[in-house]
Amino acid sequence: MLTLGGKMAVLLKSRKDLHLQRKLFHMTGIMVSYLLINYLSEQSCWALYLFVGVPFMLWDFARLRVPQFNKTTLKYFSKVLRDTEKNNLSGTTFFILSLGITFFLFPKSVVLLAVLFLAIGDPVASFFGLLYGQDKIVGNKSLQGSLAAFVFCSVIAYFFFSTKSIMLDHIILVSFLSGLIGAVSELFPVARLDDNFTLPLMSSSLLTILFSLFGGF
């Protein structure tokens, strides 16, 4: 029988496991990237990538080789890093690398939607999975988390297509399919790579097919 104290312990553990501060940092950083890509020219985006993104990645690589760099980094950023990132590359580095590849390979509209899926769909899946994920389907990923990702990604896609006037004749269908793409991209691991790297690439690839089929370009 679970006592009141036991319930409180579970509740507190669940709140700790949610890592809300890290998720907020994650969402904020990616949404800033979205706004920059949306409003700046391609040349300006590449300039920021070279002068901000690349140095960050170099620092992340350097801290794994120089203990003092890592100590300094952890002193200020330990609360927004996973335990597994403290002695490995951070998820931000994987995101920056993936962002550069997707921005080079795919149309801007596809990249923007893929970035939104990562910014919102990924943490939503994690949030609902931790709180309500009773039915595991792939590793630690749950049916409940994936359904939440699908719903949120579908809504995100609907408003994205509406504001950009893209595929309005099929907006319900393409929003539904886009939500499915976001959920699937979040759900399935790719060779144990970080999902900050795989999700934008996988969702951009599938969204490009969707846009081509329904006249999104």
Side-chain angles (χ1 to χ4, degrees), residues 24-184:
L24 180 60
F25 177 80
H26 171 93
M27 293 176 66
T28 302
I30 298 175
M31 286 305 300
V32 168
S33 299
Y34 172 88
L35 293 173
L36 291 173
I37 295 171
N38 191 43
Y39 291 109
L40 296 181
S41 66
E42 182 176 344
Q43 292 78 6
S44 297
C45 288
W46 279 119
L48 277 173
Y49 190 87
L50 291 174
F51 291 105
V52 178
V54 172
F56 179 91
M57 289 190 289
L58 292 175
W59 175 276
D60 206 22
F61 278 102
R63 75 179 177 87
L64 301 182
R65 297 289 182 268
V66 183
Q68 186 58 44
F69 283 178
N70 199 32
K71 183 178 179 180
T72 302
T73 301
L74 295 180
K75 179 180 178 180
Y76 294 103
F77 297 103
S78 60
K79 290 184 178 180
V80 295
L81 291 172
R82 298 187 183 100
D83 289 339
T84 55
E85 293 175 321
K86 292 179 179 179
N87 293 295
N88 292 288
L89 292 175
S90 69
T92 302
T93 288
F94 285 106
F95 167 65
I96 294 172
L97 181 60
S98 179
L99 184 62
I101 296 172
T102 53
F103 195 63
F104 179 76
L105 293 177
F106 300 102
K108 182 176 179 179
S109 55
V110 167
V111 175
L112 286 171
L113 189 52
V115 167
L116 286 177
F117 286 171
L118 180 63
I120 300 173
D122 183 46
V124 161
S126 176
F127 181 84
F128 279 87
L130 283 169
L131 288 182
Y132 310 110
Q134 300 298 319
D135 305 302
K136 304 299 182 183
I137 47 180
V138 177
N140 290 323
K141 303 293 181 70
S142 68
L143 175 62
Q144 291 77 12
S146 293
L147 287 175
F150 164 70
V151 171
F152 274 79
C153 287
S154 295
V155 172
I156 290 166
Y158 179 86
F159 283 104
F160 180 81
F161 295 143
S162 297
T163 56
K164 298 291 186 181
S165 298
I166 298 173
M167 298 181 286
L168 296 180
D169 292 341
H170 309 283
I171 191 167
I172 299 299
L173 176 59
V174 294
S175 297
F176 174 88
L177 293 174
S178 296
L180 188 60
I181 287 172
V184 168

Side-chain angles (χ1 to χ4, degrees), residues 13-30:
K13 182 178 184 298
S14 297
R15 287 178 177 175
K16 182 180 179 181
D17 289 343
L18 289 175
H19 299 291
L20 294 178
Q21 188 172 357
R22 179 168 60 79
K23 286 180 171 57
L24 180 60
F25 177 80
H26 171 93
M27 293 176 66
T28 302
I30 298 175

